[in-house]
Amino acid sequence: MRQFLKFVLATIVGLILFSFVGFLMLLGVGAAFSSSDSKPVISDNSVLKLNLDEPIEERNSENPFGDFGPVTTSGDAIGLIELKQALKEAKKDDNIKGIYLQTENPEAGWASLEEVRNALIDFKQSKKFVYAYGESMSEKGYYLASIADKIYLNPAGELEWNGLNAELSFFKGTLDKLGVKPEIFRVGEFKSAIEPFIRENMSEPNKLQVTSFLNSINDHMLVRVAQSRNLRVDSLKRYADKLTIQTPEDALRTKMITDVGYQDELEGIIRKQLGVEEKKKINYVTLSKYESSEKTDEGTGSNRIAVIVASGDIHSGKNGDNSIGSETIVDELRKARLDDKVKAIVLRVNSGGGSALASDVMYREVELAKKAKPVIGSMSDYAASGGYYMLMGCNKIVAEPNTITGSIGVFALLFNTESFLKDKLGVTFDRVKTNENADFPASTHEMTPFQKQAMQRSTERIYATFTSKAAAGRKLPVDNIRAIAGGRVWTGSQGKALGLVDQLGGLDDAIKLAAQSAKLKEGDYRLKYQPRKKPFFEQVMSSFSKDEESKIQAQLGELAPYVKYLKKLKNMEGIQMRMPFEIEIR
């Protein structure tokens, strides 16, 4: 009887799952038909409403349930590429009269913000308005809002203007308590990715490099804000040092904003601008709706520029959610190299590094590709360590002034868990072996001095490879590269001065450079973004995965980043090319 009930229960569960999957298939088919038959029409006298307080990633992952309210997931990311394209279209769209910008605390790196900000400045050349409103604004939020014609701050809100800081977490005390001993092998005094496991604070070389690139980012921000608001850089520095901006009235008095007011008051201004009566609604168009509306294709003809987007930690195998798999990127580079319609390649990288082996595998494919056609590197928020390794063989490299790059260094990290397992859990190990070093490397017992020397030699060998290939790619003497390497992190501006970068700019600049290198005229080519976006069912699973991550974030609060941090340790097997861990600039 019990066995019979088990079978019945299993059958019921199977039917429920089958019905659910069938329902998802119907949604997907329905969405596909609806999107192909009819696209949203943008009415005259519309305002593009941009809420940029979501995470901004290189490309968006379309929510397959976007048109079905009951199953819509939260926390969808904004695609930087799609956002910039929408702004480019809105600039020439007669139905769009202006932009209502909400940007309180965008979740993006400084280089991504730079690209969005430049796209907004380009939109303003159409003579259409850009109005910004916030109940409060962080420095990142204000950096975007500072280009607006009007900046409204809520009377009860606040504007954060106290400078940038970078905070790192250290776990040595935790490992000491657990009895876990890290074994470190590295080359470069600035290669500080291992410091969280062996120190309780930053080393002096690490403080030096963080101070240097943090000030570089801050100085660039101050210059751009001063230009947009017609203010002096020294005044902006003084406001931050003296905490001058304490209230919305302070922000108004110092001309950081144009108005202190509520949202309805700004909407009153928009109504007057549009000629809309008070009782009628303003016709707002969201970014997702505008992205779905009919657009004009860029360029004509059969020529293509392949834009290969690589974002996340680097590892062997295929791409994962927000990770770079060498197998996937190599496949895309190879297809672009062999495709006669593709006249040039842009490799867009947003990564702080990862596996040294995977980085080298992708570097090799870049070398092969540039023998066939121009390959231009484009740096996003990060293109450091393994992320730089991927790009250093490109014909030219383009970076934003506030990109984080460099970190040319190598390390290996192993954890000796013998004491933890024995003293805390009562687990012990014994072994037999055919050769003296058959148990090398080991995590359940101390390595011998000879084994440690072997690991250090491997690390030094890969560092020598890194620096020599960087020198060849950048056409610089090896000694020059080693003088600025050692794991040190630089900004894009600093990297250009040092020869690590050829040109300052964003993805659009890299595409223009690729077209010029391939002798293509403007409008005589189309862009081909790779890898392809996920198919329907992969999007379904990603949607649920993201929803689960948002629940973890809500439950753990400030502890959530540490859980993500520990998960990264699983991907740190073997010799690594990574920039310092989790540098959060706020």
Side-chain angles (χ1 to χ4, degrees):
M1 185 64 178
R2 182 179 299 174
Q3 195 71 12
F4 172 74
L5 290 174
K6 272 172 55 178
F7 283 125
V8 170
L9 181 61
T11 302
I12 292 172
V13 171
L15 287 171
I16 292 172
L17 289 173
F18 178 78
S19 300
F20 181 65
V21 171
F23 174 66
L24 294 180
M25 290 180 68
L26 286 173
L27 288 181
V29 172
F33 275 113
S34 64
S35 62
S36 61
D37 292 341
S38 62
K39 292 190 175 184
V41 177
I42 305 303
S43 303
D44 186 27
N45 221 24
S46 296
V47 175
L48 182 58
K49 193 171 188 177
L50 296 180
N51 182 351
L52 301 184
D53 288 331
E54 299 288 350
I56 299 177
E57 299 177 355
E58 290 299 306
R59 300 174 73 189
N60 68 14
S61 233
E62 294 176 2
N63 184 353
F65 306 121
D67 296 325
F68 302 93
V71 285
T72 298
T73 61
S74 61
D76 294 328
I78 297 169
L80 175 62
I81 291 171
E82 291 80 7
L83 171 58
K84 288 170 58 184
Q85 178 61 26
L87 289 170
K88 190 179 297 184
E89 294 292 339
K91 176 185 176 182
K92 58 188 179 183
D93 189 339
D94 292 336
N95 293 325
I96 297 295
K97 304 303 182 184
I99 290 176
Y100 180 158
L101 186 62
Q102 292 177 292
T103 170
E104 296 185 350
N105 188 23
E107 298 178 45
W110 284 96
S112 292
L113 295 178
E114 191 75 13
E115 296 218 29
V116 175
R117 193 176 190 275
N118 288 336
L120 288 167
I121 291 172
D122 180 66
F123 172 86
K124 288 181 66 178
Q125 291 181 2
S126 65
K127 306 303 180 183
K128 301 176 183 182
F129 68 83
V130 178
Y131 295 159
Y133 171 82
E135 293 182 354
S136 62
M137 289 185 191
S138 66
E139 268 117 343
K140 284 184 175 181
Y142 181 74
Y143 189 53
L144 292 181
S146 63
I147 61 91
D149 304 296
K150 289 186 178 294
I151 307 174
Y152 267 68
L153 186 61
N154 188 286
E158 61 180 356
L159 171 63
E160 180 185 24
W161 193 257
N162 57 356
L164 305 183
N165 81 93
E167 186 172 276
L168 284 73
S169 301
F170 294 85
F171 300 95
K172 180 181 182 301
T174 304
L175 297 178
D176 288 345
K177 291 178 185 296
L178 292 175
V180 175
K181 181 182 177 183
E183 297 286 0
I184 306 297
F185 310 91
R186 66 170 172 172
V187 182
E189 62 175 336
F190 292 98
K191 199 64 187 175
S192 53
I194 46 79
E195 285 191 359
F197 309 107
I198 61 173
R199 295 181 60 92
E200 295 178 346
N201 52 18
M202 287 188 278
S203 65
E204 286 306 314
N206 194 14
K207 277 190 177 181
L208 174 64
Q209 71 171 343
V210 173
T211 300
S212 176
F213 74 68
L214 193 63
N215 278 302
S216 178
I217 292 172
N218 190 53
D219 290 345
H220 177 77
M221 177 189 71
L222 293 175
V223 169
R224 298 300 306 278
V225 169
Q227 292 170 345
S228 295
R229 305 315 308 166
N230 196 24
L231 296 169
R232 292 171 56 90
V233 171
D234 57 355
S235 297
L236 293 172
K237 286 183 178 180
R238 187 174 66 254
Y239 297 159
D241 287 337
K242 303 297 183 182
L243 297 180
T244 302
I245 314 298
Q246 293 287 313
T247 66
E249 288 72 24
D250 292 334
L252 181 64
R253 175 176 51 79
T254 55
K255 299 182 180 180
M256 299 281 285
I257 63 174
T258 61
D259 296 270
V260 175
Y262 292 97
Q263 186 174 17
D264 63 280
E265 293 179 293
L266 175 56
E267 290 192 338
I269 300 296
I270 295 176
R271 287 178 190 280
K272 289 181 182 178
Q273 186 87 20
L274 300 175
V276 175
E277 296 177 8
E278 187 175 346
K279 292 182 179 180
K280 290 187 178 180
K281 289 184 178 180
I282 298 171
N283 188 25
Y284 287 124
V285 180
T286 63
L287 178 61
S288 59
K289 181 179 179 181
Y290 195 70
E291 286 177 349
S292 303
S293 64
E294 196 68 54
K295 298 293 186 299
T296 304
D297 289 336
E298 284 190 283
T300 57
S302 60
N303 295 325
R304 300 284 188 272
I305 293 179
V307 182
I308 300 172
V309 181
S311 180
D313 282 353
I314 296 171
H315 57 82
S316 298
K318 295 184 180 295
N319 278 8
D321 284 335
N322 198 31
S323 70
I324 301 171
S326 58
E327 183 180 334
T328 300
I329 301 303
V330 164
D331 184 52
E332 297 296 346
L333 285 166
R334 186 176 295 130
K335 285 191 295 186
R337 169 166 59 91
L338 299 176
D339 188 344
D340 291 335
K341 291 183 179 180
V342 174
K343 305 302 182 184
I345 300 169
V346 174
L347 181 55
R348 170 72 167 185
V349 172
N350 189 4
S351 174
S355 164
L357 173 60
S359 300
D360 190 68
V361 167
M362 291 183 285
Y363 166 86
R364 169 63 178 172
E365 199 61 36
V366 169
E367 287 285 296
L368 294 175
K370 77 175 183 181
K371 292 178 181 178
K373 56 197 66 175
V375 182
I376 307 300
S378 174
M379 296 181 171
S380 183
D381 295 318
Y382 302 95
S385 208
Y388 186 75
Y389 200 111
M390 290 176 63
L391 294 175
M392 63 191 186
C394 293
N395 297 99
K396 298 288 183 181
I397 298 175
V398 180
E400 288 288 6
N402 43 20
T403 292
I404 299 295
T405 187
S407 193
I408 299 174
V410 181
F411 74 92
L413 174 65
L414 297 172
F415 291 100
N416 180 357
T417 60
E418 182 178 20
S419 178
F420 167 71
L421 293 169
K422 180 180 179 181
D423 299 339
K424 302 296 191 294
L425 302 179
V427 179
T428 57
F429 297 86
D430 199 0
R431 63 194 61 80
V432 294
K433 50 190 178 181
T434 59
N435 296 84
E436 188 175 350
N437 294 297
D439 58 347
F440 167 73
S443 62
T444 57
H445 64 277
E446 183 88 10
M447 287 192 290
T448 67
F450 176 79
Q451 291 172 341
K452 291 179 181 180
Q453 289 173 6
M455 183 66 80
Q456 182 63 34
R457 283 195 300 271
S458 294
T459 307
E460 291 171 357
R461 175 177 56 82
I462 292 177
Y463 178 72
T465 300
F466 195 165
T467 52
S468 62
K469 287 184 176 180
R474 302 309 302 154
K475 297 179 173 58
L476 293 171
V478 174
D479 289 343
N480 287 30
I481 289 293
R482 289 184 177 171
I484 59 176
R488 181 159 182 175
V489 175
W490 307 96
T491 62
S493 294
Q494 294 170 328
K496 184 177 183 300
L498 296 169
L500 297 176
V501 171
D502 295 292
Q503 179 179 322
L504 295 180
L507 177 58
D508 291 344
D509 298 291
I511 291 170
K512 288 178 183 176
L513 184 57
Q516 292 169 5
S517 301
K519 296 181 172 55
L520 297 174
K521 295 180 181 179
E522 187 175 352
D524 190 30
Y525 58 87
R526 294 174 185 266
L527 301 180
K528 181 181 181 182
Y529 289 96
Q530 296 294 115
R532 64 181 177 82
K533 288 190 177 182
K534 293 178 180 178
F536 174 73
F537 280 108
E538 286 186 36
Q539 290 183 40
V540 172
M541 302 318 296
S542 292
S543 295
F544 287 128
S545 174
K546 287 182 180 179
D547 201 39
E548 188 63 30
E549 284 185 13
S550 64
K551 288 178 182 177
I552 292 173
Q553 178 72 42
Q555 291 171 351
L556 297 179
E558 294 184 1
L559 294 177
Y562 298 103
V563 174
K564 293 179 182 179
Y565 186 97
L566 292 173
K567 282 184 177 180
K568 283 193 175 185
L569 292 180
K570 294 190 297 184
N571 298 322
M572 290 182 60
E573 296 178 357
I575 294 177
Q576 300 287 303
M577 296 174 177
R578 290 179 185 266
M579 63 171 285
F581 257 104
E582 302 297 333
I583 293 181
E584 184 178 359
I585 301 173
R586 294 183 289 185

